[in-house]
Amino acid sequence: MNHEQLQSELLSIRHLMERSAKFISLSGLSGILAGCYALVGAALGYREVYGFASKMGYRDHYVTEEEVLVKLIVIASTVLLLSVGTAIWLSARKARKQGQGIWNPASRGLLKAVGVPLVTGGLFVLVMIARGTYGLVAPACLIFYGLALVAGGQYTYRDVKGLGVLQIALGLLAACLPGYGIIFWSLGFGVLHIFYGFIMYFKYDRRVA
């Protein structure tokens, strides 16, 4: 066996080990669509709180009407369900093209890693909403979501960890400027998702298209 054949064999072994240890069926297109859902949701939420005529800028007041609050929760829940559903569907389709199942040790590890920060963050946000601390809801969403991505990054593409770090940084900045929560929320869940979705699509998805 010559040197080139040895390198080829080693690369094949490395690729097989990576496929078994990491969830590589995550779809970049799902990130793009999740970002689009988030931007639409942010626009709808902004309209519910401030109306059509208001300009983007610093906000020193927050919604207190129960009806509007319920609408915001419905919008956020719809965005979440659409994003998760799209991610599962597109990842399952990608896994089939790769000849793999979507439920394997790597996906189970990924789910466990992201589960604790997401559940903890979700409960924390609900507590803040119940106590009327609306100014820190958007920062908390970004920070805990970023922590979940960093934790899950070891079970999937490294790009996911980078996205998580940016989400955390954006959340901390949003905490310093609570009046701009809707803008930071849109940047984190909307723009960053679309940006990283395109990166992952062109780096990974086109190989199995």
Side-chain angles (χ1 to χ4, degrees):
M1 180 179 293
N2 58 38
H3 181 68
E4 291 184 358
Q5 289 177 323
L6 180 60
Q7 280 190 324
S8 178
E9 290 294 329
L10 289 174
L11 286 174
S12 298
I13 294 172
R14 180 181 177 182
H15 181 65
L16 288 172
M17 292 178 65
E18 185 179 69
R19 287 169 65 95
S20 62
K22 291 184 178 292
F23 183 68
I24 59 174
S25 297
L26 199 62
S27 172
L29 184 57
S30 66
I32 297 173
L33 292 175
C36 293
Y37 300 151
L39 290 178
V40 172
L44 293 174
Y46 188 88
R47 187 192 68 179
E48 289 294 335
V49 177
Y50 303 115
F52 289 104
S54 180
K55 296 180 180 180
M56 297 294 284
Y58 181 81
R59 303 295 165 191
D60 56 2
H61 67 283
Y62 303 95
V63 59
T64 56
E65 297 85 352
E66 184 176 347
E67 181 181 353
V68 176
L69 182 60
V70 170
K71 289 181 180 179
L72 293 178
I73 293 175
V74 170
I75 291 171
S77 300
T78 302
V79 170
L80 176 62
L81 291 174
L82 284 173
S83 299
V84 172
T86 301
I88 293 174
W89 173 56
L90 290 176
S91 295
R93 189 179 69 169
K94 184 178 177 181
R96 286 195 298 269
K97 290 181 179 180
Q98 295 172 322
Q100 295 183 323
I102 191 173
W103 190 244
N104 52 45
S107 62
R108 288 194 291 271
L110 176 62
L111 187 61
K112 290 177 181 178
V114 303
V116 173
L118 287 181
V119 172
T120 304
L123 293 175
F124 182 69
V125 167
L126 290 176
V127 170
M128 286 196 296
I129 292 175
R131 296 181 63 85
T133 315
Y134 305 118
L136 292 177
V137 169
C141 289
L142 291 166
I143 291 171
F144 280 100
Y145 180 60
L147 290 171
L149 293 179
V150 171
Q154 61 181 319
Y155 294 100
T156 185
Y157 301 119
R158 288 179 296 178
D159 308 78
V160 171
K161 186 175 291 187
L163 174 59
V165 172
L166 289 178
Q167 297 282 8
I168 293 171
L170 202 60
L172 292 173
L173 184 59
C176 297
L177 301 168
Y180 295 98
I182 189 68
I183 298 176
F184 284 107
W185 198 92
S186 301
L187 289 174
F189 292 106
V191 176
L192 281 181
H193 263 158
I194 293 172
F195 178 71
Y196 264 82
F198 272 112
I199 290 177
M200 293 180 63
Y201 176 79
F202 286 106
K203 284 181 67 174
Y204 309 112
D205 290 8
R206 292 202 301 176
R207 299 176 185 177
V208 294

